[in-house]
């Protein structure tokens, strides 16, 4: 996918101007450069980066959803989707959280080189983050099965805020296995957006949850407990 194709396909969701596209090109260059030193992504060809990272991350977004919001991206890795959102939506404020120090160093370099003042990078595990009920939106992409992911993410979401889970082909299976977690964490599914990447033709599912009331203080449990006995 070219940058021009991405702009056209997303025109009804977000306006990507020349400055924004230039930042995406710089991001792609830094991703390729750093990927030679640390393992950030298996996707290294720029047309694939545009489609499978930038375009894919922007599918569930629009200005009404993200502008002026406090956002947290847990297990962000190389910055997907959080860094992409911060570039495309400069009015939002994004906290990128990852447990790997080298990845956080990369993310800080990207934010610095792209002059992004709306990005904060935190080297931490999600369940250890001291930001309970703080964010308007919490998101995660390709981090963990949904029933585990929800317990880690949802305590960070404000009451009446949103959790956006970005999933692949097993989304419906994971959703069915998460009924108990959804009930325990006072969530409801607002929307499930299904899309297909234009060139690769793989399916993507973006599940948007609404948090109806504050999370019980016993959640999240320790990572060992969460893994041993998921909700």
């Amino acid at each position: 996918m070219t940058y021009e194709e991405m702009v056209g396909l997303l025109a009804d969701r977000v306006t990507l101007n020349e400055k924004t596209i230039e930042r995406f090109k710089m991001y792609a260059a830094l991703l390729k450069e750093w990927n030679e030193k640390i393992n950030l992504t298996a996707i290294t060809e720029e047309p694939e980066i545009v489609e499978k990272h930038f375009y894919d991350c922007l599918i569930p977004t629009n200005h009404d959803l993200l502008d002026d919001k406090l956002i947290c991206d847990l297990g962000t890795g190389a910055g997907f989707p959080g860094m992409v959102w911060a570039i495309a939506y400069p009015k939002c404020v994004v906290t990128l959280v990852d447990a790997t120090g080298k990845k956080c160093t990369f993310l800080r370099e990207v934010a610095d080189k792209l002059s992004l003042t709306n990005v904060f990078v935190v080297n931490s595990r999600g369940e250890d983050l001291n930001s309970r009920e703080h964010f308007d939106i919490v998101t995660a992409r390709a981090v963990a099965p949904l029933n585990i992911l929800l317990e880690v993410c949802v305590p960070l979401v404000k009451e009446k805020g949103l959790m956006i889970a970005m999933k692949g082909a097993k989304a419906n299976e994971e959703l069915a296995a998460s009924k108990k977690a959804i009930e325990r964490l006072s969530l409801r599914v607002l929307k499930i957006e299904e899309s297909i990447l234009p060139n690769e033709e793989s399916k993507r599912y973006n599940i948007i949850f609404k948090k109806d009331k504050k999370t019980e203080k016993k959640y999240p449990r320790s990572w060992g407990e969460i893994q041993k006995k998921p909700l």
Side-chain angles (χ1 to χ4, degrees):
M1 178 182 288
T2 66
Y3 289 98
E4 291 75 19
E5 287 171 333
M6 179 174 73
V7 170
L9 288 168
L10 294 169
D12 62 338
R13 292 177 176 267
V14 57
T15 301
L16 302 173
N17 59 32
E18 288 185 19
K19 182 178 180 180
T20 302
I21 294 302
E22 188 57 37
R23 280 177 162 160
F24 277 126
K25 289 178 179 178
M26 292 170 65
Y27 186 11
L30 286 165
L31 185 65
K32 289 188 282 186
E33 177 188 333
W34 276 70
N35 206 52
E36 295 178 4
K37 298 181 284 186
I38 62 173
N39 182 27
L40 292 170
T41 177
I43 299 166
T44 55
E45 297 299 320
E46 194 151 1
E48 286 191 293
I49 291 172
V50 174
E51 179 174 7
K52 296 179 183 179
H53 285 324
F54 301 163
Y55 174 75
D56 185 23
C57 288
L58 290 171
I59 290 171
T61 71
N62 59 64
H63 284 287
D64 288 340
L65 182 68
L66 297 189
D67 278 352
D68 302 314
K69 300 297 193 304
L70 288 176
I71 297 166
C72 180
D73 177 14
L74 284 187
T76 188
F80 308 120
M83 187 71 80
V84 176
W85 291 7
I87 293 169
Y89 298 92
K91 290 183 179 180
C92 71
V93 177
V94 182
T95 298
L96 304 174
V97 180
D98 202 273
T100 304
K102 289 181 179 178
K103 290 179 180 178
C104 290
T105 301
F106 165 73
L107 295 168
R108 292 187 183 104
E109 172 86 351
V110 174
D112 181 59
K113 289 290 177 67
L114 273 58
S115 300
L116 297 172
T117 59
N118 62 333
V119 171
F120 298 90
V121 179
V122 178
N123 184 195
S124 174
R125 296 188 62 85
E127 66 274 17
D128 297 329
L129 202 62
N130 187 25
S131 299
R132 193 174 188 87
E133 316 276 351
H134 179 71
F135 298 99
D136 299 301
I137 298 171
V138 175
T139 189
R141 177 179 184 249
V143 172
L146 187 60
N147 56 347
I148 290 175
L149 190 65
L150 291 175
E151 183 173 352
V152 177
C153 291
V154 171
L156 302 173
V157 181
K158 289 179 180 178
E159 187 176 358
K160 308 304 180 185
L162 302 178
M163 162 65 195
I164 302 177
M166 304 182 72
K167 289 290 180 179
K170 293 184 178 180
N172 289 321
E173 180 183 326
E174 289 189 34
L175 191 60
S178 301
K179 288 182 179 179
K180 185 188 291 185
I182 291 167
E183 181 181 348
R184 293 269 181 91
L185 297 167
S186 302
L187 298 174
R188 56 191 163 96
V189 178
L190 280 187
K191 186 188 299 184
I192 303 174
E193 290 187 339
E194 180 181 344
S195 59
I196 299 176
L197 294 185
N199 296 317
E200 191 197 36
E201 297 185 349
S202 59
K203 286 189 176 182
R204 296 291 191 269
Y205 296 86
N206 295 303
I207 309 170
I208 302 177
F209 298 92
K210 182 76 173 282
K211 178 175 172 177
D212 287 326
K213 59 184 180 180
K214 289 185 176 181
T215 306
E216 292 182 69
K217 290 187 177 180
K218 64 182 177 181
Y219 301 120
R221 297 166 293 162
S222 70
W223 181 244
E225 289 179 287
I226 294 170
Q227 283 192 307
K228 186 176 180 179
K229 193 175 181 181
L231 292 178

